[in-house]
């Protein structure tokens, strides 16, 4: 913990004069990273994005481990107070609370958002991550795993589709719950998912995809292609 505080203080002092940014974001071109850049764009919080190229094992560098002990992106440091944080779900809550938007204060409504945020963190992220690993990158090597995780992906898409049937967004107004789930759905092509099978997911996905903040946050820390759009 001491190392974490020391590093974050040093980072804040070193950069404070150089930028107007309030948040240092350590990220890569993945769904978990994009959740945070999209939230920062939506909330209008000035930030500096730092690339942590996980294909080059940069997530294991000691200076990154000091703020992200689990050696995963994303992580942030708040220059206002030197506070460092890992885990995208925790980061989304922290940033939304900092500004007082995208995360309701009403007790029940707040827990509705947390409920769907946890659904993403505990289910959508880990399971669709396995689909990317087995179906997209290692197709044909482990048919059992491919079938298992694809079945789970379809189950999760079905849950989301049913939930969105009579709702514009996942939990009341547009919130950090939508921002957490959306980048995972943006990889529908990798997941071999035909969004026409899930019309309410498709409607929700498309509406969020065209938001300027989403378009911008998707291309952080670098532009690796446009936001995938399903055929109309
Ligand atoms: N539960 C974590 C998961 C973070 C995560 O899995 N990040 C991936 C990229 S999306 C990563 O950093 N992988 C590096 C590695 O596997 O070593 C969160 O939501 O922040």
């Amino acid at each position: 913990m001491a190392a974490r505080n020391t590093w974050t203080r040093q980072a804040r002092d070193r950069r404070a004069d150089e930028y107007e940014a309030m948040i240092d974001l350590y990220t890569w071109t993945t769904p978990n990273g994009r959740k945070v850049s999209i939230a920062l764009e939506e909330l209008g919080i000035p930030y500096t994005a730092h690339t942590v190229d996980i294909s080059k094992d940069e997530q294991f560098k000691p200076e990154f481990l000091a703020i992200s002990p689990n050696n995963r992106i994303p992580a942030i440091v708040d220059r206002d107070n030197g506070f460092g944080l890992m885990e995208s779900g925790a980061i989304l809550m922290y940033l939304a609370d900092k500004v007082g938007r995208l995360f309701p204060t009403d007790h029940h409504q707040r827990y509705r958002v947390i409920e769907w945020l946890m659904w993403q963190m505990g289910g959508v992220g880990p399971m669709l991550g396995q689909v990317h690993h087995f179906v997209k990158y290692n197709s044909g090597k482990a048919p059992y795993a491919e079938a298992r995780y694809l079945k789970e992906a379809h189950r999760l898409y079905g849950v989301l589709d049913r939930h969105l049937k009579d709702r514009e967004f996942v939990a009341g107004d547009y919130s950090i719950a939508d921002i957490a789930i959306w980048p995972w759905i943006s990889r529908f092509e990798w997941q071999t998912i035909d969004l026409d099978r899930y019309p309410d997911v498709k409607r929700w996905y498309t509406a969020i995809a065209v938001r300027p903040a989403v378009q911008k946050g998707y291309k952080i820390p670098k532009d690796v292609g446009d936001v995938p759009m399903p055929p109309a």
Side-chain angles (χ1 to χ4, degrees), residues 30-33 35 54 59-60 70-74 86-89 121 184:
T30 67
N32 288 321
K35 287 178 203 174
I54 63 175
Q59 71 274 30
F60 296 106
N70 195 38
N71 62 261
R72 302 240 155 156
I73 64 94
M86 65 172 186
E87 283 295 327
S88 60
M121 295 294 293
W184 285 97

Side-chain angles (χ1 to χ4, degrees), residues 102-106 108-119 160 163-164 166-179 181 203-204 208:
L102 300 176
F103 194 17
T105 49
D106 172 80
H108 283 182
Q109 199 43 46
R110 189 170 177 87
Y111 277 92
R112 198 57 77 206
V113 170
I114 292 173
E115 176 182 55
W116 285 91
L117 181 60
M118 295 297 152
W119 179 76
L160 185 57
H163 183 69
L164 286 169
D166 52 2
R167 290 178 181 85
E168 187 176 3
F169 297 110
V170 164
D173 293 338
Y174 181 60
S175 73
I176 54 172
D178 300 285
I179 293 173
I181 299 166
R203 182 250 316 147
W204 165 89
I208 294 174

